Amino acid sequence: MTKGNINVSVENIFPLIKKFLYSDHEIFLRELISNATDATLKLKHLTSIGEAQVEYGNPKIEVKIDKENKTLHIIDQGLGMTAEEVEKYINQVAFSGAEEFLEKYKDSAKDSGIIGHFGLGFYSAFMVASEVEIITKSYKDAPAVRWVCDGSPEFSLEEVDKTERGTEIILHISDDSTEFLEEYRIKELLTKYNKFMPVPIKFGTKTETIPLPEGAAEEAKPETVEVDNIINNPTPAWTKAPSELNEEDYKNFYHELYPMQFEEPLFNIHLNVDYPFNLTGILYFPKLGNNINIEKDKIQLYQNQVFVTDEVKGIVPDFLMLLRGVIDSPDIPLNVSRSYLQADGAVKKISSYITKKVADKMVSLINANREDYEQKWNDIKVVIEYGMISEEKFYEKSDKFALYPSTEGKSYLWEELMDKIKANQTDKDGNTVILYASNKDEQHAYIQTALDKGYEVLLLDSPIVPHLIQKLETTKEKIQFARVDADHINNLIKKDEPIIAKLTDGEKETLKKEVETAVNDSKFTVQLEDLDSQDTPFMITQPEFMRRMKDMQATGGGGGMFGMGAFPEMYNLVVNSNSELASEILKTENTEEKNAKIAYALDLAKLSQNLLKGKELTDFIAKSFSKLK
């Protein structure tokens, strides 16, 4: 048996780094600025504990373009490096100085904001540069040095004259990467990745006007000066304690995140936890209405204020992907490119925490101001209902904040709804029947019929209601939902006083056969009911099960989920045997006239359900005008 060490050749590593280290070459700027930030924050920590006997001052990071020489410069005023440290941290591929620093100072530096873990970050420079220089001077009493490498295994290291503490990285941009010598491109990347870095980042200068002092002469002109153009906000709202912020601060930060969003967010949730993991952030509820197809990927993931991605699936529960905001956590495990999340226990704990935090926030909002919460319900209900369906822990708390609005403008929590309807809305099996409408205008006649009988009708109109209903029916005891235009409520609700029938059983049987013959359509099943209202002689309903399965199929569940294909069109034609029309049909001896009455009544019923279309609708309109004549 032979044992040994695998020898990784540097000649082989550099081409791989240059080509494959990151999927997006633009990441190089984020990595180099992250390194500069680390160098600055390390110095801040060392000065705070007295280990670095230097003045920290107000350091910044500067990014400069030199088009003439085809170079890009990243300059920091951090702790710099000695020649020995350059040898250790730069010449040893994948050795992370930040990680070593955190290990050495793990007790005192845990909250220093140092990014760490990314030893390959510096080498991303070779993806866009044919040659890279480092000019650096340590905060220690040591000579400044210059390191140069052209991407081959060879490098040079020499002493140079540099008096100011810190490091300058000079990228000699390759011919195939000249886009990174354009000001607009660098500004775009700085805004994307470094907008909230904890150290000020200078990119060029800008002109500012100094206001005139009080009492200045009328002819005096305000002075203009050139100042540093700082492109980032080093102290974004999520890095502050909630007690330091007011509602205006949260709204301003929302517009800083989304400058093209002109609508105000409905409310926010401030995340702040340090055990059993570290997580900060702010989530915002935008106005959603019934739209579940709005643009997702609006929540931004940061790691110690460094932008990572806006693809947060796995960290944020699916139902909250419709929200906006920021999540920042050093504990989220990422691969070397920081582009894809690893599925592990830490991520699941973070997801569970966010779910709990949102549920708690909903409870506090409805308890603090019920009226305001009810007014916002239509804009947040899709998120809440989606959460009830998809997250069990969220569903378990939902009775305290999920609203069930009625067609009459009232809103109920679950227990309030049960108290309202349990005594009056039960079926023959003792189930509490919850009547609801999905479209107040289209189902107006059915709603009115139910209201006339003293029933409560909910208005559940979001696109995921079929799934929510199924969830509620399977978890709540003896509950049944029925849409007002489904199988008629007289079959579902047990009434104390029976309705007196106007027709004998024989007359009903005759009427049923005559209507079936005249309709002659397999989509319609004719049913006779003794209704206590004369207003509706013919009514079209749909079997509750079939209608619900079609609704679920339309929103991604139901039949389509199980490969059953499209559900057939099936309807009930409910004939009110107590109506005057029923009696007229029986009395009419002329078959053609009888069939015409039935056909016209059917057309009216179809029209009320938006089922009369195309040629049928054209013929009906012509027939109606003819009757007017």
Side-chain angles (χ1 to χ4, degrees):
M1 178 185 294
T2 302
K3 291 186 177 182
N5 294 322
I6 296 173
N7 181 32
V8 179
S9 169
V10 177
E11 290 93 330
N12 295 330
I13 283 180
F14 263 103
L16 290 173
I17 286 174
K18 188 173 178 66
K19 191 170 184 181
F20 299 116
L21 180 60
Y22 296 99
S23 57
D24 293 324
H25 285 193
E26 67 180 37
I27 297 296
F28 83 93
L29 189 59
R30 180 187 72 181
E31 295 300 312
L32 296 179
I33 290 180
S34 295
N35 290 345
T37 301
D38 276 353
T40 307
L41 294 180
K42 286 177 191 175
L43 182 65
K44 182 179 182 181
H45 179 71
L46 292 177
T47 55
S48 70
I49 63 173
E51 192 160 319
Q53 303 299 319
V54 296
E55 185 68 34
Y56 180 68
N58 297 298
K60 60 180 177 286
I61 296 165
E62 183 174 5
V63 180
K64 292 197 303 187
I65 297 171
D66 183 344
K67 266 194 167 184
E68 185 177 343
N69 293 307
K70 295 184 177 180
T71 56
L72 180 67
H73 302 244
I74 295 94
I75 306 161
D76 71 60
Q77 299 164 353
L79 44 70
M81 290 181 285
T82 63
E84 292 76 16
E85 287 168 337
V86 170
E87 287 270 14
K88 182 176 183 180
Y89 298 130
I90 301 301
N91 293 339
Q92 295 184 35
V93 176
F95 188 97
S96 173
E99 194 165 13
E100 184 194 42
F101 183 92
L102 285 174
E103 178 60 30
K104 182 178 178 181
Y105 298 101
K106 59 185 176 183
D107 293 328
S108 61
K110 63 181 179 179
D111 298 319
S112 62
I114 294 164
I115 298 159
H117 316 310
F118 308 114
L120 286 175
F122 167 74
Y123 290 93
S124 64
F126 287 100
M127 295 190 299
V128 301
S130 57
E131 182 177 278
V132 179
E133 296 181 57
I134 301 175
I135 302 172
T136 183
K137 178 171 175 58
S138 173
Y139 72 96
K140 302 171 185 175
D141 187 17
V145 294
R146 176 175 177 263
W147 178 93
V148 182
C149 179
D150 62 2
S152 71
E154 297 179 359
F155 67 90
S156 65
L157 183 63
E158 61 182 347
E159 290 188 10
V160 293
D161 291 330
K162 176 177 166 61
T163 56
E164 294 183 351
R165 176 194 72 222
T167 299
E168 179 175 5
I169 308 290
I170 305 171
L171 308 185
H172 296 263
I173 300 298
S174 305
D175 291 339
D176 61 357
S177 299
T178 54
E179 64 179 286
F180 300 112
L181 292 172
E182 299 296 333
E183 185 175 321
Y184 82 90
R185 184 72 169 113
I186 297 302
K187 186 175 182 181
E188 175 187 53
L189 296 182
L190 292 174
T191 302
K192 178 178 179 181
Y193 291 110
N194 307 108
K195 189 174 182 179
F196 301 111
M197 293 290 278
V199 178
I201 300 170
K202 174 186 174 183
F203 185 55
T205 60
K206 62 182 179 179
T207 302
E208 280 192 359
T209 302
I210 300 175
L212 290 171
E214 282 188 33
E218 276 188 38
E219 63 274 12
K221 293 183 179 179
E223 184 183 354
T224 59
V225 293
E226 289 289 316
V227 297
D228 292 346
N229 182 33
I230 303 298
I231 56 89
N232 64 319
N233 175 4
T235 55
W238 83 80
T239 64
K240 301 174 183 178
S243 58
E244 299 177 52
L245 303 167
N246 56 38
E247 282 306 307
E248 197 62 29
D249 294 325
Y250 284 113
K251 287 178 181 178
N252 289 339
F253 180 60
Y254 178 80
H255 292 299
E256 189 176 355
L257 282 173
Y258 310 106
M260 300 307 291
Q261 289 294 328
F262 302 110
E263 278 192 335
E264 298 290 353
L266 296 170
F267 46 79
N268 64 76
I269 300 171
H270 199 131
L271 308 169
N272 195 345
V273 63
D274 54 16
Y275 182 83
F277 47 81
N278 291 291
L279 178 79
T280 55
I282 301 172
L283 296 180
Y284 291 93
F285 273 74
K287 290 184 178 180
L288 296 175
N290 280 339
N291 190 0
I292 59 173
N293 296 314
I294 65 168
E295 187 180 358
K296 294 184 181 180
D297 297 334
K298 284 292 186 180
I299 296 175
Q300 301 172 14
L301 174 65
Y302 287 77
Q303 189 169 69
N304 288 323
Q305 295 176 238
V306 182
F307 176 78
V308 177
T309 182
D310 54 12
E311 296 176 9
V312 294
K313 188 175 178 63
I315 298 176
V316 176
D318 279 351
F319 77 100
L320 296 178
M321 296 284 281
L322 298 172
L323 302 189
R324 294 176 181 152
V326 168
I327 292 172
D328 190 329
S329 175
D331 293 332
I332 293 171
L334 306 167
N335 69 354
V336 70
S337 70
R338 305 190 207 176
S339 298
Y340 300 97
L341 301 172
Q342 311 288 339
D344 73 355
V347 169
K348 291 175 184 174
K349 286 177 184 175
I350 289 172
S351 178
S352 178
Y353 166 78
I354 294 173
T355 298
K356 178 182 181 299
K357 189 73 174 178
V358 172
D360 291 344
K361 179 69 173 182
M362 296 300 106
V363 174
S364 68
L365 285 170
I366 195 170
N367 289 341
N369 191 333
R370 170 96 177 231
E371 183 180 355
D372 181 63
Y373 187 83
E374 288 181 2
Q375 288 177 354
K376 292 175 177 174
W377 178 252
N378 277 337
D379 283 309
I380 66 172
K381 64 187 175 189
V382 168
V383 175
I384 305 302
E385 291 170 355
Y386 189 4
M388 292 169 68
I389 294 165
S390 59
E391 294 287 333
E392 198 59 38
K393 295 291 185 184
F394 191 77
Y395 176 74
E396 289 171 4
K397 294 189 174 187
S398 64
D399 282 357
K400 296 178 181 178
F401 55 78
L403 290 179
Y404 301 88
S406 77
T407 55
E408 298 294 278
K410 300 175 184 175
S411 290
Y412 303 101
L413 291 170
W414 183 260
E415 286 187 8
E416 295 168 349
L417 178 65
M418 291 299 100
D419 290 342
K420 177 74 175 176
I421 69 172
K422 208 162 192 176
N424 190 41
Q425 295 179 207
T426 55
D427 65 9
K428 62 182 186 304
D429 298 318
N431 296 310
T432 300
V433 179
I434 301 172
L435 294 175
Y436 73 99
S438 60
N439 188 304
K440 194 173 179 180
D441 292 328
E442 290 182 6
Q443 295 150 16
H444 180 269
Y446 300 90
I447 295 169
Q448 196 57 52
T449 300
L451 294 177
D452 289 344
K453 295 175 181 294
Y455 302 137
E456 197 75 18
V457 181
L458 300 183
L459 181 60
L460 305 179
D461 58 359
S462 82
I464 55 178
V465 157
H467 305 276
L468 176 63
I469 285 172
Q470 187 180 41
K471 176 80 173 181
L472 291 166
E473 285 182 338
T474 54
T475 55
K476 303 289 187 184
E477 190 175 352
K478 295 184 79 64
I479 292 297
Q480 181 181 353
F481 281 81
R483 204 168 83 175
V484 286
D485 61 343
D487 301 290
H488 197 261
I489 57 176
N490 284 65
N491 287 339
L492 292 170
I493 309 299
K494 182 174 65 180
K495 297 293 290 180
D496 295 331
E497 298 180 7
I499 298 169
I500 299 171
K502 293 186 179 180
L503 301 181
T504 65
D505 290 343
E507 288 172 327
K508 290 179 184 178
E509 187 62 32
T510 301
L511 177 62
K512 186 172 186 291
K513 287 179 181 178
E514 288 177 342
V515 173
E516 286 174 339
T517 301
V519 172
N520 192 27
D521 189 335
S522 60
K523 292 197 299 287
F524 292 97
T525 300
V526 177
Q527 298 177 354
L528 262 64
E529 293 188 17
D530 297 324
L531 305 183
D532 56 2
S533 169
Q534 295 286 323
D535 297 335
T536 311
F538 277 26
M539 181 185 292
I540 292 174
T541 67
Q542 202 169 9
E544 174 68 18
F545 172 78
M546 183 64 69
R547 183 201 55 71
R548 196 181 298 180
M549 293 304 287
K550 286 176 69 176
D551 286 348
M552 291 180 67
Q553 184 183 46
T555 55
M561 185 183 293
F562 304 106
M564 294 169 62
F567 285 97
E569 295 291 323
M570 292 178 61
Y571 302 95
N572 301 317
L573 176 57
V574 180
V575 178
N576 182 1
S577 50
N578 277 348
S579 68
E580 291 184 9
L581 179 62
S583 300
E584 278 191 34
I585 291 171
L586 284 173
K587 292 175 185 176
T588 304
E589 296 182 0
N590 183 291
T591 303
E592 187 176 337
E593 187 182 343
K594 182 186 298 183
N595 289 345
K597 288 180 180 178
I598 294 172
Y600 195 74
L602 176 60
D603 282 346
L604 286 169
K606 283 182 178 179
L607 190 64
S608 71
Q609 283 285 65
N610 201 28
L611 295 174
L612 202 63
K613 297 176 181 178
K615 186 177 183 303
E616 282 188 330
L617 180 58
T618 303
D619 291 345
F620 173 78
I621 293 171
K623 193 188 306 178
S624 299
F625 280 132
S626 177
K627 285 181 179 291
L628 287 175
K629 294 176 184 177

